Structure formats: structure tokens, C-alpha cells
Amino acid sequence: MSIDPTNISSAQDIMEYLEIQNEPTYLNLKPSSFLSTLFNKTSEIWDQKVYPHYTNHDTKHSMRIINTFKDFEPLYEWTNYEKIIFVAASLIHDIGMQYNEWKIDPTKFIADKYIFFRKAKYSEKEIRDAHELIMFELIWAQVEKKFDAIKFPPVLFDVNNEGEREAINMASYVAACHRGKKFLNLFVESGERGTYSQTTRDGDDFRPRLLAGTLRLCDELDGSIERFDNINKINLIADESKKHWLACAFVKGVEVRVHGLGLHNSGADLILTWQVPREINSQDHIKEKLRIKHFVEEERMNKISNEISRIQKFYVDCNEHHHFRKFKVKLHNTEPNDSVLDLGFDYFDIIPKLGYPMPGEKTIDDSQSEHSLESGQVLKSNSIETRNLLHVQLELLDWYERNKSVIHTVLVNGEHTNIFLQLRSLTMNQKLLRLISDYLYRLHRARKIDTVMGIGTSAIPIAVNVAYRLNCAATFTFIPKYSGGNIDEGSFEHNPSLKPEDNILIIDDVISGGRVARKIITQIEKNYDISKNVFYHQAIFRLGDRELQSNPDITDYFQIVHIPDVIYAPDELNCPQCQDGGEPWYEIDG
Amino acid sequence: MIVIDPLRQRIHNGLRNGEENILNNARGNYGNDNDVRELLELYSEARMNIITSEPSYVSDSRKYIFIDLTPFDRVGKIEKIITQLNESRDVRPVIMYMSPAVDSQIKAIKTETPIICIAYSGIGNLIDITNGTSRLDNNLVIQVRRDIESLGIENNIVHFRRWIAQQRLTNMLIEGDGLYVPVKDQNSKTIIYTAGRYYKRMPNKMLVSSYIELKKLARNVEQLTEVAYEVILELACHFRRDIDAFDEFDVIVVPNNTALFIASAIQAILEKEVIPIDRLGPVPRLPRQRQKIKKMLGGKKCVVLEEVVATGNELDRTVLFLSDMDVEVQKIIAIYNLEVGKAMIPEAGKLISLCSPKKEINYVYRSD
């Protein structure tokens, strides 16, 4: 059952839909009272929309977000308190957009912590760019009981109830995460024992970081024709918003289909149903349909995928990897129907002007991107390479979560780690190898690579796959761990048999400090005239933030997945080396 | 004898394109325009090699090239393929096949020049070498039959292909830059001259007259595919139709990096997992990785792939380790076997050597 956003009349409807229990909960919070007040007061805030030409941000938008939240329930099994906080966050997250209607006395907000409340009015762009911070300051001010300074909006909660104060405060942090990085970083920096870490409330799990990530995703997913109150107002939209506005117009809705429940790789398919309006000339139907599909892929699918990647990285940064799920965005086409009416303008001309040619047509951007590849710079854009990278990153992060061992280990080279990766299981996975090699092929195909060299053991299969794709030679070498890392140059095993004129792509499975890369390059330096050759170094995983040892012979270097936070080996009472205070870091056994 | 393997070319294209399910797709969908064009190009190249390598006064009625269609159950555009191949009068195609469907397809083709075919049964036994009715073709059929009989092998596809593998892999060593032969080098302390020839001193202090550099040979990815293909033929039991050969093992185990290098191509083709268990010491224990490897391998059936077997010691360590891991070894495939020693631990009959070039390369393994 889903909520009909146009038919919500009370918080009670929401509570019934989400099956929120009404018993008093953490710090004597009474759910019905709290949510009813919040629902009624936020509805008042949205009574007169300041920007009616925008896609709607009001309670209907909040209800659609709550719908999607419920769709994710099988994956996360929301607790009662989590549902309350999420509903609250959904209701308040966009109220900052109404700031110019509020009656605030800026003179009462001269304290440093209030930044936005020092002015009574802002421009449309300023509001749009900071509305989550505006919302946050409102809640803050109300928690601090600055009622004399705020005539409107009304107070959103019972200020004398400790439970409601705590709940609205937490909801404001979750809500502020829906946009930008400031509050996400706050959640990351709060550390393992911080306020926003997973904990329990009234005996149930409470996962504020998961709620923050979920709100962000649900908000991004609500980009469809339903966001429009008045579809003909595109000319009033600022140019930078036109793309997003128009892309939403072609999307009928998003459906969430969960899968793999109970398995380690559970997740959901996020299916974007898109459609072509009826006005298309039937003779040009296919061509225009392709154009719109390309547009929707770039503006909606790509953005949603970006957001998923950002959220998954957020969970990793917070050390709450267990929230990670496999989300995949898919497109589904439907026939036009009456919900897409005459837009009042010729959007077929607008789309190419916004930078979306037909697939296969070249633009200035395309030629610039080829130039960028030739000069060795990594392409950063909303291009197919970016989408491929996101897909690869998600798959690798998923693999990382399932295959890491969190145990204190002393490696064969004497170093400590508290994360051990069995990389052999990655190289046994041909599907993953194909994904990685496909990405590396796209990245390097414009370069004149003569040889792909894998650093054994784990990078050898990757190097072979990439060499086939690039149609160049393949070879390998390795750094022996038992001999102190010294390479026997006379050894057939180590000798990669490079040709002097080769341009080489080096592939390593893991890089941390760049020590192995340095040894390999030193070996090559001894045998070849490197002033003529070009060496690229590509790693699959980069672990930690240890500064890479600089090496001028690596013309560029990049990793596919960065697992941040230096992984220090925890103090191990029985480990003599830890006892001596030796500085631990890590290296992954290949 | 020259054999063209259309399946191998198709597999190579699949690897170049990063396809999924390469082997099944290649076997199931062979015969599109691109396949036809590539086969004709390969045939033309092979034909030119034959023509230019033999003196012109040798009779041209006995030159031929095998086209191995045995892996395919059906071949698309087979009429076009055979008609165009058959236009070559100086070097004739001999079509090898196993499938009854291909047999029907061929019999339905009407060509001016009769088609020379070798039909094999579903278990690989040679049924017949067939031809047309002209005297010229009878001579060719007789020639082909005699040439195969002169190999001294059983009339079975397995033996014939293994004979071809021996020739191919030996030629690759010699012509494909895969054999290191020590020569005089005053700057090197590891080149030793004794008993009339130069030797290379290996890390175990033994002297070898040459060294198989499979890494160097397989640097060229086309040659890598060629080597991988010979291994796949063995894994597939040469595509016998009475068994599902790929069901008989779960994983491929490799004991060193060079074997992993070759096996990586095989993994990409077959999508069978390849597990390296390198760095086994003299007493093969691998204490750190034991638990993890046991979890990956325990209870499974495996094929061991060795790139070069010389004394057999590495093979013994590998099989001993696997036995300890509760792994059943179905088959051991050695790409090159230098027959210096004999592995003692593997069961008799499990080791298949694709190429034993000791005599051809005059290989010597000795102490000082």
C-alpha cells in the first residue's frame, strides 16, 4: 500500500501507513502528538509557496519520500524510533525554501553560529543553495526558544518535552544531510563513539547515519512528473535548473524492487519509468525517443547513480559499511499517457541546446575529453567513463565488504594490519575482472599502450584481461616478500621481458604508500631509457591515506577505489611488536 | 600438417571484446559473416605459406589444410564457407567434423569440386575419410589417410589433436621466441661452459641447456590464446559429445605465476575459477593462507595446470598440498614436459603433457 500524496490529511495517516507504535518512547516522546504538531505546522509553512514555478518541495514531496522509505523496509527493518525521526526529517528538510516568507528579526541573530538568520531576505539562488542550512538554523533557534525573534514559522514541536526536543534536533541533522557535504562530513567526523553513530533507543537499533543516507537517496529518487504543480512554467526556471526540471518531466515514477533478502548481497533495483510525451511527430519518433532517453540517462540515472555512490562512500567513511546494499538503477519505458500534457514549448530544441546531442553525435566536450586522455589526465565528467567508474566502484566496495577480515595480523614482511584482504577471491571472479578490465580499457584506449604489466600475484589476471581488450602485449613481474623485497634481475620469473620502446601500463591490485610502485619503476629504470617511455600506474584498491612516495617516473597514477582512514592495527595485548610501540601500518598479501 | 581452428579464432575475438560466456557463444553461434571472412583469410594465409615453402616442382595434388569443425554442433553459412574454400585447387581443404548436424549440412552442399571430409563419431573415433568420385580426389583421400596412419597414433580425434599440439607447441618454442638458449657471455656468472656446450645455472644450482620462457612466448596475446586453446581442448576432452567434460571439475589450480598467466586467459574463456597456490615451500604448508585456501577449495574437484614440468618436484608439492586440503585432483595438464624426472605423487594416468620437446630442443638438465 502506498500513500496518495494528494490525500493525506493527518499525521495519523502516516503513522498507520508506517505502523508507528504510539507508546511513549525515548525521553517520553509521544509519537502521535509530536508528529501531528509537526505535520500541521509544516503544512502551514507551505501554505503560500514562495517559488511556485519550482518542482514542489512541500508535504506531497515529503509523502513520496516516506513512500520510498517504506519500500526499503525489507532491507533495513526500520525500528519505531527510526520511523518517527525519518518522518520528522522528511517533513522539515525543504522548509528552508520558504525563508523569504518567514518573519524573522535578524538583529536577534548576531551570534556567530547563526549565519543565515542575519538577513531577512535572500535571492532565489541563495535560498536554493543553502535551504538545508536555513532549516537547520530554524530548528536550532526554536530549540533555543528564540520565540521573540521568530514570528513565523510557528514552533514545530513541544519545547517543554525533552523527548520532542531531542527528536527534532536529531531529525534536523538527518534532514540537513539531504544536500551538500557539510553535514555528511559532520557525521563522519563524529567518530565511532559520536552522537550520530549507530546506537539504541528504548532497546531498538537507532541508526542516524543510515537515516541520513536513506533520506538523501529517497529525495533524489523523487524526480518525476509528480514534482510539478504547474508544468508550463519552465521559462521561469533558472538555466542551471532547466536540465533537472526537464529531465523530471520525462520520468513517470520510480519503483523500488528489493532482492536478495537474507543474503549478503541484498539490494534493490531502482526502476525509472520514463516516457515520451504524445506530441512527438511519428516520423521522427525513434530519433527523438533516443534523444530523450539519452537525456534521461544523463540527468536522472547518472545523478541517482552518483548519489548512491556518494552515500555508499559516506557509510564507508563512517565505518558503518554494514548499511551498504546493492542498488542498481534501471530504465523502463512506457507508452505516453495523459499525465504528460502539452508542455507549452518545443522541448526537442531545448534538449540539444542544454548539451545533449543524439548518441553518437560529437560535441566540443567529446573532443576535449579525447584531448584530455592523450595528455594523461583523468577525465572527470558526467560521461560514460564516470558511469562505468561508479558501477565498478560499487561492485568493488561490495566485494571489499564481503571479503575483508578484521583481525590483527602480522604479515610475512613483519608489518601489522587489522584488515586482511584475500585478493585471490577477487581474481577468481571473472565477472568482476571483466568489469574492471572494461573500465580500464575505456580509460586507456586512446593511449598508445604497448604492454600491460601486472604486479603478481593478484594483478596478473587483471593485466591479461586488459591486454586483450587493448590488443597489446601482456606480461607480469612481482616483488618477492621473502627476500626482503629485492628483485633478482637475472631471474626469469621476475623479468617482465619488456621491449625498450614499450609504453607500459602497470596494474597493481593494492597501493598504500607506493613502495612497490617505486621498486618496480626502479627495476624498469635500470633496463630501459625511461625518457622515451611513458608509464602509467593503475591500482584497484588504495588503502588508507598514507602519502604516496613521490616518483617522477610515474606520469600519472590513480586508483579505482579508495578506502580511506589509515587502518591502524589496534593495540594487541599479546603482540610484542605492538607492546614495543612500533608504528603499525599495513600491506595486503597478494 | 596444418590445422586451422575456427573456434580458436572466435574465442580470441571474444577475449578482445570482453564478452561473457565466450566458449559457449563461440560454439553455439559460429558462422556469421565475420567468421566466414576470418576463416577465409586464415586459409589464404596458410595456403600461401605452403605454396611459398615448397619447391615448385613438387606435385601439387597432395597439399591440404585441415579445418577443424569438430567443436561445433552446427555451422552457419557452411555452404558459403566450403564452396569458397574449395575454390582453392592447389591446396585443398579437409573438413573435420563430429556432429551429425554438420554431416547433414555438408551432404546437402552441391559443389563442383568434391569435398574431402573426415567424420568422427560422438566419442571421437574416426569413422571415415570421404571424398568425391574423381581420380584426383581419390589420390588426395588416400594421401590424407596414409599421412594420418603414418603418425602412428590411434584413429581418434584426441590422439590426432595431441599430435598436432606437440607440433604446434614445439614450433612456438622455436619460432615464437619462447626458448632461451644460453650463449657465451663473459659478464654473466650464471652461464657455464662445459662438455661442449653452454648451460645456464639455475637458482637450485643445476645446469640447464635451455629454458622455456612461456611468459615471453605468451606475451603476444594471440600466442597466449593459442596456448590456452590447447589446454581447453584437453579440458573439454576434445569436445566429445558423450560427456560434459566441464562438469567434471570445479576449479583450476595453478602453482606459480606463469601458470596463472596462462590460466587467466582460460578463466576468461571458460569462466571457471582459477586459484593460485604459489609459494609452496619444500614442505608445502602455506600456514597463513591455509584456512582461506581450504575454504575456497575444500571438497571441490580440480584440474592442476602446470606450465612446465621438469623434475616433477613442484607437481609433487602441489598435489600433496591439495590432498591435504581435501581436494580431488581430476587431471593434471602440463603444457610442456621436459621429462627430466617423474612426479611420484600424482596417480598414474592423471598427468597429460601437451608437448614433450626434450628431443627436439636437445634438452639437458645436469649438475656440475
Side-chain angles (χ1 to χ4, degrees), chain A residues 410 422 424 468 493 495, chain B residues 215 225 267 271 276 288 292:
Chain A
V410 180
Q422 185 55 268
R424 286 157 208 262
Y468 269 112
E493 276 256 67
N495 184 0
Chain B
K215 179 203 280 187
T225 305
Q267 178 176 276
E271 308 215 7
R288 266 171 216 292
K292 290 185 172 49

Side-chain angles (χ1 to χ4, degrees), chain A residues 405 409-412 420 422 424 427-430 433-434 451 457 460-461 464-465 467-469 471-476 478 482 490 492-499 502 589-590, chain B residues 12 15-21 180 200 202 211 213 215-216 218-221 224-225 256-258 260-261 264-265 267-268 271 273-279 288-289 292-293 296:
Chain A
S405 297
T409 307
V410 180
L411 298 175
V412 293
F420 187 86
Q422 185 55 268
R424 286 157 208 262
T427 56
M428 282 160 51
N429 186 329
Q430 184 58 29
L433 288 183
R434 202 164 30 240
T451 302
T457 297
I460 292 174
V464 167
N465 277 268
Y468 269 112
R469 295 304 306 278
N471 195 26
C472 63
T475 187
F476 68 90
F478 64 98
Y482 289 102
F492 290 107
E493 276 256 67
H494 296 128
N495 184 0
S497 302
L498 297 171
K499 293 186 180 162
D502 277 353
D589 191 13
Chain B
H12 185 74
L15 289 165
R16 291 271 324 273
N17 296 331
E19 290 173 13
E20 290 181 38
N21 224 359
Y180 166 79
K200 169 86 175 169
M202 300 303 286
Y211 184 87
E213 289 191 90
K215 179 203 280 187
K216 206 169 169 190
R219 209 184 108 91
N220 177 319
V221 290
L224 176 55
T225 305
N256 58 58
N257 281 333
T258 307
L260 175 62
F261 186 60
S264 299
Q267 178 176 276
E271 308 215 7
E273 290 173 349
V274 170
I275 299 174
I277 50 167
D278 53 325
R279 288 178 273 139
R288 266 171 216 292
Q289 294 98 328
K292 290 185 172 49
I293 293 179
M296 279 193 263

Side-chain angles (χ1 to χ4, degrees), chain B residues 206-243:
Chain B
M206 298 298 283
L207 301 177
V208 298
S209 59
S210 54
Y211 184 87
I212 295 178
E213 289 191 90
L214 198 48
K215 179 203 280 187
K216 206 169 169 190
L217 189 152
R219 209 184 108 91
N220 177 319
V221 290
E222 283 193 18
Q223 291 189 165
L224 176 55
T225 305
E226 204 169 324
V227 173
Y229 186 70
E230 296 301 332
V231 177
I232 284 172
L233 284 178
E234 280 301 332
L235 292 172
C237 293
H238 299 271
F239 299 106
R240 280 175 59 165
R241 300 307 199 267
D242 58 323
I243 50 172

